[in-house]
């Protein structure tokens, strides 16, 4: 089992954000993701992976743009979104898979 598979299987519900340090959209999403991480606490781990350091995982997951958010339930992708989005929308989407 590779590191990424372990990561997405580390909890029943996991969110991953693929980002790039040079991406202005990613920079704008950073504080949003930090706030969501605080709000959900231990309910769902949120991992942020730099695509320049995690190219293999990004390629495996079909990431073509940044930021890309993927929500996994039991290690399987259940939602995928590329681009900036409102923090409330992202939070509601994550919470919708918690039930």
């Amino acid at each position: 089992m590779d590191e990424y598979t372990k990561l997405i299987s580390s909890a029943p519900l996991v969110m991953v954000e693929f980002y790039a340090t040079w991406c202005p959209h990613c920079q704008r999403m950073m504080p949003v993701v930090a706030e969501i991480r605080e709000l959900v606490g231990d309910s769902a781990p949120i991992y942020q992976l730099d695509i320049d350091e995690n190219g293999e995982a990004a390629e495996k997951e079909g990431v073509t743009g940044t930021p890309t958010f993927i929500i996994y339930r039991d290690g399987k992708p259940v939602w995928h979104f590329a681009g900036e989005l409102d923090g409330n929308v992202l939070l509601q989407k994550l919470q919708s898979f918690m039930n």
Side-chain angles (χ1 to χ4, degrees):
M1 186 184 293
D2 66 21
E3 289 301 310
Y4 188 74
T5 305
K6 283 183 197 164
L7 187 84
I8 62 174
S9 303
S10 63
L13 191 66
V14 172
M15 184 170 83
V16 176
E17 176 195 12
F18 284 97
Y19 74 96
T21 54
W22 42 263
C23 163
H25 304 289
C26 301
Q27 297 304 321
R28 286 193 287 274
M29 289 303 297
M30 284 293 174
V32 173
V33 173
E35 189 176 333
I36 291 172
R37 182 181 281 125
E38 269 184 47
L39 291 169
V40 299
D42 295 335
S43 304
I46 297 173
Y47 299 104
Q48 293 172 291
L49 302 178
D50 186 329
I51 60 163
D52 293 325
E53 295 171 12
N54 297 278
E56 197 175 298
E59 192 174 309
K60 182 181 146 206
E61 294 304 307
V63 174
T64 56
T66 53
T68 291
F69 298 92
I70 306 173
I71 297 175
Y72 295 90
R73 181 176 226 145
D74 301 321
K76 306 263 187 286
V78 290
W79 184 78
H80 188 279
F81 183 87
E84 266 185 81
L85 76 164
D86 183 270
N88 290 325
V89 172
L90 187 56
L91 178 61
Q92 287 170 356
K93 188 51 77 173
L94 185 57
Q95 288 174 330
S96 75
F97 291 105
M98 288 181 179
N99 307 340

